[in-house]
Amino acid sequence: MSKNYTILHLHSMDSNPYSGLEVDSVTPFDAYIPKIAECGMKSVAFTEHGCMLHNVAKKQLCEKNGIKLIQAEEFYVTETLDPENLVRDNWHCLLYAKNKDGVKELLELSSRAFEPDHKYYNPRISLEELENTSDNILILTGCVAGILCKGTNTAKERFLKFIIKNKHRCWLEIQPHDFDLQVQYNRYLYSISIEYGLKLIATSDIHALTEDHMLGRKIMQQSKLKTPFEDEDKCDLIF
């Protein structure tokens, strides 16, 4: 793996409490960091689902290994927080702190997501709150569970308008997974990147350090879902 490569979409066991019915990863965060250092990488972002757990410990271990920790989170986003219109949409979107003020903003958003008027199955923020983030926050559009792929038409239009307006701090996220929806989504993102002059970024959406960890993840998911998890074979989620 290239020393110039920075992992920007990475899940550890810290994603498990808020990843819905599934177990997101069986890999502890402190297993990833020595491997990242071994590969000669200089920075990494842990993008846990719905939370920012162990960030002090992550930062300390990264610094011990000569790595910069980019503060980040994969947020769950809802179209509305209206208590009379609760919908379990919870689309994925990745937010990164550009600087110290961005870290404070990220922590505030993450905390707000757990408040009673926000949390519904998952800690979440509204699309409006996402639109109101400052230039101290950088944004990736996420996987096929993101707004531009799974959102309502209204949400997709709003989010795309936001991205176009904030193209200096937003990236369209393409991924290498071999299934039809991902391929179609990558093509869509490429087409709008050309049409509107938007930036593309490739991530690998890592959930496991080894094949054994991937098998453990699959077994744990199937034990919770009570059904075979077939899509796992179509994704390459290993470091």
Side-chain angles (χ1 to χ4, degrees), residues 8 11 49 187:
L8 292 173
H11 297 279
H49 278 304
R187 288 172 177 167

Side-chain angles (χ1 to χ4, degrees), residues 5 173-179 182-183 186 202-205 234-237:
Y5 183 69
E173 183 178 356
I174 58 174
Q175 296 182 354
H177 314 307
D178 187 21
F179 57 95
Q182 182 70 66
V183 173
N186 286 348
T203 73
S204 43
D205 200 357
K234 302 175 183 176
C235 296
D236 181 5
L237 303 175

Side-chain angles (χ1 to χ4, degrees), residues 106-121:
L106 205 60
L107 289 169
E108 181 181 344
L109 272 176
S110 187
S111 296
R112 194 185 308 164
F114 284 87
E115 293 177 0
D117 62 336
H118 281 62
K119 191 172 185 290
Y120 184 61
Y121 290 92

Side-chain angles (χ1 to χ4, degrees), residues 16 18-24 88 122 220-221 223-225:
N16 291 346
Y18 309 109
S19 58
L21 292 174
E22 300 173 16
V23 174
D24 215 44
R88 194 176 179 182
N122 301 88
M220 293 294 287
Q221 285 177 326
S223 70
K224 296 203 78 172
L225 294 172

